[in-house]
Amino acid sequence: MTTPLTLSDPQQQGGGLDRRKILTGAAALAASAVTMKTASAASVAPLGQTGAPTTASQPLPLGPLPGARYPDARLESMKKPKVSFGPTGFPAFAGTMAVERVATGFRWAEGPVYFPAGRYVLFSDIPNNRIMRFSEDDGHVSVYRQPSMNSNGNTIDREGRLITCEHSGRRVTRTELDGSITIIADKYNGKKLNSPNDAVVAADGSIWFCDPAYGIGGYYEGIKAEAEQDKKNVYRVDPKSGDIKVVVDDFVEPNGLCFSPDEKKLYICDTGFTDGPDNPSHIRAFDVDLAAGKLSNGKVFAEIPKPSITDGLRCDRDGRVWCSVGWGDPNEDGVRCYTADGDLLGKIHIPETVANLCFGGQQRNRLYICGSSSLYAVYTSAQGAMKP
């Protein structure tokens, strides 16, 4: 606040100016100018890094993938079919269908979630700093939110609200039904989170999310920064108090996660292999005490053949686990399906590295697959678990 220059009382000062006040006011103005100069020199990071739009002269074609026929050879069963009408024992096969590319033109598609009330899929295009929307009824693709703070994983809670993990925001947010955004978690023990990656909501409203360091490793999918957390944890947010606590702290890079349909198991990917060849590339399964908000008895559920990794997964109503595969052998790019006991049932081959997936459709029998620059879909003979 500046001190104004004022005229003195002529009767007190003989009709002249008050020199002391003039000097005081001038000094205050000079100090204010320095402050303003300092403030104008300060800068803040943008709302997430924004990539240049993808400009492909010949976009990838939409519709069934080239060469598709019934039964689609891209669906590979680990069990020999007993009948000619598709691979027996692998619930990806639904008869007269094939893998389709339903949208394309993204830099890195991730974090799909289906909203049944609107019949649309939301998914992140992380480097382009936006959340996209694919309308299932007419195939229309549009931008749902930009900037998105380099959003990654998305899910939906029991009230139909969007839960989002943000790389550059280093936080988990909830989009309320009126469009406002609530910060669910951005700190733990007074320190910033690394870069929340994926989340899931339990029946009691608790939010469970993982916090690897991918979003602060550079400027492509977030904003480069130093990690403030000593470990890369998995957290639980209490639905009543909002308190945040660590439920697992021994992952190298915790990634995608999902509950079993009965919420007695929590599956979590570890993509630590990206940090070194001796680190894990697998899915771990934990016993869940939902009331106490605790995990126990963690064990490896499925190993992913290196150099491939899996960073997204969902369960169907029968407890099978469907997970993404990518970054390694192109012949392994796509989706794997495991029984609840960890036996591999089959694969869906996708011509791009796959990051994540979700079930959708009015019968929850359509599997949406985020494959690098495109969104793919395939009808299955399974139904996604009703709880995300």
Side-chain angles (χ1 to χ4, degrees), residues 154-279:
N154 298 283
T155 192
I156 185 174
D157 69 8
R158 297 305 189 275
E159 297 180 42
R161 299 173 296 186
L162 173 66
I163 306 295
T164 299
C165 295
E166 301 175 355
H167 276 182
S168 56
R170 300 175 74 168
R171 64 188 189 181
V172 180
T173 63
R174 181 176 63 227
T175 302
E176 307 296 348
L177 299 180
D178 64 0
S180 61
I181 294 177
T182 299
I183 298 174
I184 301 298
D186 62 353
K187 293 182 178 66
Y188 177 69
N189 281 344
K191 299 179 180 180
K192 289 183 179 180
L193 299 173
N194 296 319
S195 57
N197 187 285
D198 205 358
V200 67
V201 183
D204 64 356
S206 58
I207 298 172
W208 306 60
F209 69 94
C210 61
D211 190 37
Y214 295 122
I216 57 174
Y219 295 103
Y220 184 63
E221 291 190 3
I223 298 176
K224 189 173 183 179
E226 293 295 325
E228 296 185 19
Q229 299 296 329
D230 295 330
K231 296 183 178 182
K232 299 163 186 177
N233 301 316
V234 179
Y235 297 92
R236 174 189 180 272
V237 182
D238 188 87
K240 296 180 180 178
S241 66
D243 291 341
I244 304 169
K245 73 174 185 179
V246 175
V247 291
V248 188
D249 66 355
D250 62 348
F251 277 78
V252 180
E253 293 283 2
N255 214 304
L257 66 172
C258 79
F259 284 109
S260 60
D262 59 8
E263 297 187 330
K264 292 182 179 180
K265 296 284 185 181
L266 180 64
Y267 300 97
I268 308 175
C269 304
D270 194 336
T271 52
F273 178 73
T274 60
D275 295 4
D278 297 328
N279 291 330

Side-chain angles (χ1 to χ4, degrees), residues 25 40 53 57 59 87-88 100 112 131 134 142 208 223 237 297 314 346:
S40 66
S57 57
T88 300
E100 305 169 66
I131 297 176
F134 170 76
S142 59
W208 306 60
I223 298 176
V237 182
N297 302 324
R314 291 291 186 272

Side-chain angles (χ1 to χ4, degrees), residues 59 93 124 156 170 277 294 311 324 330:
F93 186 77
S124 298
I156 185 174
R170 300 175 74 168
K294 295 182 179 179
D311 64 4
S324 68

